[in-house]
Amino acid sequence: MVKVNTDGCKSFVGASAYTYFEKKALTAFDTLINGDGEGNDFLGWKNLPDDTPESLISDCEAVRDEWKAIGVNLVIVIGIGGSYLGARCAIEALSHGFIRPSERPQVIFAGNNLSEDYLSEVMDLAAERNTACVVISKSGTTTEPAVAFRLIKKYLEERYGGDDASKRIVAITDERKGALKTLATRQGYRTFVVPDNVGGRYSVLTPVGILPIVLAGFDVRAMLAGAAEVKREVSRRSDDNPAIRYAAMRNLLHSENGKAVEILVTYNPKLTFFAEWWKQLYGESEGKEGKGIFPASVTNTADLHSMGQFIQEGSRIMFETVVSVEKSNREIAIGSDELNLDQLNYLAGQTVGHCNAMALLGTRIAHIDGGVPQMEVSVERLDEFNLGGLFYFFEFACGISAYILGINPFNQPGVEAYKKNMFALLRKPGYEKQTEEILKRL
Ligand code: PA5
């Protein structure tokens, strides 16, 4: 169901070089499958498509139904990084872009930035609506979601009273430890667990993704079924395994062709947040020890009128991976016009989707001619099943890819550097020495 086409790279790489990287990918695959590589205490995501219990989904549906019964029409999901990107990606990919069905709550995201303007506007909307909140933090101590939650919690308590507010809050966090766990136990919030052995950016098929996606009205059973189908496909030790082919080719382009940047390209604005999810997955998993491919993204055809110029003719540092969807969910035919002043009658009878497909094809040829290798990862259509498949495909390929690079795909030590400085500047107790040092540098 997830297909990988590497034909657009063939003129850039030699067959023997590919064979060499294919071997590396097969070795990395063995490490991932056997669970004997670095970070192997974070491999729980591999079995989520098969092991997620039906009771977890029905517990999420129970929250959805309870909130529906009290008329909730706005759910604020608080979280950052892996604690929000998967859910946001799925909800944006599957939702109508402009109209929300009245029977479903609007799901919005907060706690992923420290902008006062953003948070103020979230609070403006909360005040107009019947509001509930899902707060997600695996560590339970991340500053951005904690700040947002402090504000929203106070607002809900003042508006609905302590007991009712507690019924409108669900916490998703560690089973035992962390400030959010302590708070949830004390306040009696309903909680869901982020498994110990699943890191944030691999957590979309845990309650971190499942609860918000269920609340937004989508079918997580189909999503898990799609992930399970791809799991079977990518768990085969074979040179035609699509995850092995993708991982081998991107590492070859990086190591032998000097390509430092991978651009994930989509041709549907609904997938813009899919690219944000993918960028975090690959950026945080591979960008370590002075190594890694920088993950970037464009949404075409819009970006063909901005970044397209650079991709066609700028520094030759990038290759592209196009995530393409073979069939639109809906078709629009272009009609003929008697005056034809826009000179578009040559398109009469064609669909807009056909024009999009020709833009994709024309761009592929132009970019290859311009020195940009191109891979294509395609699915039949954009729905829960295929999205689940894409999640699993890119997670599995990321594990292989990082092991080819000799990197632990499951930690993120670099994220701590900014936090230490921010805490020192905010004069967090315990950071006095760092405060002194950092103030000397300003
Ligand atoms: O992938 C990761 O592990 C990170 O992006 C985390 O998800 C992010 O930092 C949020 O962490 P937490 O869920 O502990 O608040």
Side-chain angles (χ1 to χ4, degrees), residues 426-440:
L426 288 169
R427 294 180 157 74
K428 185 172 177 174
Y431 284 78
E432 293 75 10
K433 196 160 173 289
Q434 287 96 324
T435 304
E436 223 175 275
E437 278 163 15
I438 206 165
L439 287 179
K440 279 188 212 142

Side-chain angles (χ1 to χ4, degrees), residues 80-83 136-140 142 145 199-201 280 284 412 415:
I80 195 165
S83 287
I136 309 175
S137 176
K138 184 179 181 192
S139 63
T142 308
R201 58 193 172 276
Q280 190 218 359
E284 254 185 18
Q412 53 284 328
V415 178

